[in-house]
Amino acid sequence: MLSSIKNCLSIEKDVPPLDISLDGKYYSVTVMSLSPLSGEGKKRGAALLLEDVTAKKDVLRIKQDFFTNASHELKSPLTTILGYQEMIQSGILTSEKDIKDANEKTIREAKRMKLILDDMSVLNRIEGGKEKKDIKPIRIDLLLTDIENSFLPRLKEKGIALSGKKEELTVPMDEEDARRAFTNLLDNGVKYNRENGSIEVDCTSSGTVKVKDSGIGIREQDLSRIFERFYRVDNSRGKDTPDGSGLGLSIVKHILESYQDPIKVSSLFGAGTTFEISLKK
């Protein structure tokens, strides 16, 4: 910065802004040339304008991380799709069984890509406030039961026992928001659970909803990142992460934030995770 000031005084012109880091914050510093006032001789001065650009840099970093992770997530299924189709086209796969297997895997990966793109679109609409909300009284206890019923085939397939107590709870909320948030939480509990594990969904009349699973859990040092976009790509929840968009919990957080409903997560690595939501009545 000192060299910029000297340069400004030397050429008697403003110099291009420069970025500096100070005490954990980022500033854009503009050095401006000042003309001498009447009666002060011919000496010129310089003025410094500091603009705190920490928030701008954070937003830029988040966007860059998002597109980097999105590219990574989309590249994997796309590579699989191209690989299998090229093997069919080139005649490497010739038997009916091999071709059928390749097509099934291609379709599965294409659906995974669609899921990622759909969730990216949802997250963008939520963050941008572009979704029209139909706020009305919603029976959360009945909604949770309905969501649980839709998961019964997956729970049965994995041998997961479902339990929990539900008291009558009515809150003002957009039904689609509520369904999307709690569906993602239950989906998370199923994906990261063990075979023959358990999920407990409790709902109290005071406004508390808890979703507790017996899954693989989250390391303590990773808890602060659990709601980040594409969180699962860091493999902190195991090497064999299930298919998904990696945006589910981020969507949950943004939905609840729009209602100013806090969500807390506690976990013991290897023993399970509990999400606790406090809904405003």
Side-chain angles (χ1 to χ4, degrees):
M1 185 165 61
L2 185 58
S3 62
S4 294
I5 296 173
K6 289 180 178 179
N7 187 33
C8 175
L9 294 173
S10 174
I11 65 175
E12 299 184 350
K13 291 182 179 179
D14 297 350
V15 298
L18 69 152
D19 293 336
I20 64 170
S21 176
L22 185 64
D23 297 329
K25 289 183 174 292
Y26 294 94
Y27 298 90
S28 176
V29 183
T30 302
V31 184
M32 299 177 292
S33 177
L34 295 179
S35 301
L37 296 175
S38 177
E40 292 188 359
K42 296 182 179 180
K43 291 184 178 180
R44 300 181 67 88
L48 301 182
L49 176 63
L50 275 73
E51 180 187 4
D52 188 341
V53 294
T54 306
K56 290 181 181 179
K57 281 192 171 290
D58 286 344
V59 169
L60 180 61
R61 176 185 56 79
I62 291 171
K63 286 183 177 179
Q64 289 174 337
D65 288 345
F66 176 76
F67 285 113
T68 298
N69 290 327
S71 297
H72 177 273
E73 288 294 307
L74 291 170
K75 184 178 179 180
S76 178
L78 182 59
T79 300
T80 301
I81 292 170
L82 290 173
Y84 278 115
Q85 291 306 308
E86 286 173 353
M87 283 192 288
I88 293 174
Q89 187 179 49
S90 62
I92 295 176
L93 300 180
T94 56
S95 72
E96 184 178 344
K97 180 180 180 303
D98 288 342
I99 293 175
K100 180 181 178 181
D101 182 59
N103 282 329
E104 288 176 351
K105 290 178 179 178
T106 296
I107 292 172
R108 185 170 66 244
E109 292 300 304
K111 288 181 177 179
R112 182 183 164 198
M113 287 186 70
K114 183 178 184 302
L115 175 62
I116 295 171
L117 292 170
D118 286 347
D119 279 356
M120 286 172 63
S121 177
V122 167
L123 192 55
N124 179 60
R125 292 199 305 272
I126 294 172
E127 288 183 326
K130 299 175 183 177
E131 285 194 315
K132 293 183 179 180
K133 297 183 184 294
D134 180 19
I135 307 297
K136 59 185 179 182
I138 300 294
R139 281 283 300 273
I140 299 298
D141 53 311
L142 298 180
L143 178 66
L144 289 171
T145 299
D146 186 47
I147 293 171
E148 288 174 351
N149 289 335
S150 70
F151 274 84
L152 289 178
R154 289 179 60 190
L155 294 169
K156 184 177 180 181
E157 181 181 0
K158 206 167 180 178
I160 297 174
L162 181 63
S163 63
K165 298 179 180 178
K166 296 178 183 61
E167 298 175 357
E168 183 175 328
L169 171 62
T170 301
V171 299
M173 202 170 183
D174 180 275
E175 185 173 350
E176 185 60 31
D177 279 349
R179 183 174 295 276
R180 187 177 284 154
F182 292 117
T183 296
N184 274 311
L185 283 177
L186 193 54
D187 179 68
N188 186 80
V190 174
K191 283 194 300 186
Y192 291 102
N193 218 317
R194 307 176 184 278
E195 295 287 335
N196 303 313
S198 65
I199 295 177
E200 183 178 339
V201 182
D202 295 313
C203 172
T204 69
S205 57
S206 62
T208 300
V209 177
K210 288 185 180 180
V211 180
K212 180 180 180 181
D213 66 65
S214 63
I216 60 178
I218 310 162
R219 294 186 179 92
E220 184 177 355
Q221 64 267 30
D222 296 310
L223 280 174
S224 62
R225 301 188 58 199
I226 187 66
F227 294 107
E228 288 183 14
R229 299 164 173 174
F230 301 110
Y231 164 77
R232 67 183 182 81
V233 301
D234 66 5
N235 288 328
S236 61
R237 303 188 73 182
K239 293 181 179 179
D240 300 322
T241 51
D243 288 341
S245 70
L247 295 170
L249 290 181
S250 185
I251 289 173
V252 171
K253 178 185 176 183
H254 281 83
I255 288 175
L256 295 177
E257 280 183 344
S258 70
Y259 293 90
Q260 297 182 329
D261 293 333
I263 179 170
K264 296 188 297 184
V265 56
S266 58
S267 185
L268 182 61
F269 188 66
T273 302
T274 300
F275 292 93
E276 181 177 334
I277 302 100
S278 298
L279 299 174
K280 290 182 175 60
K281 300 182 64 177

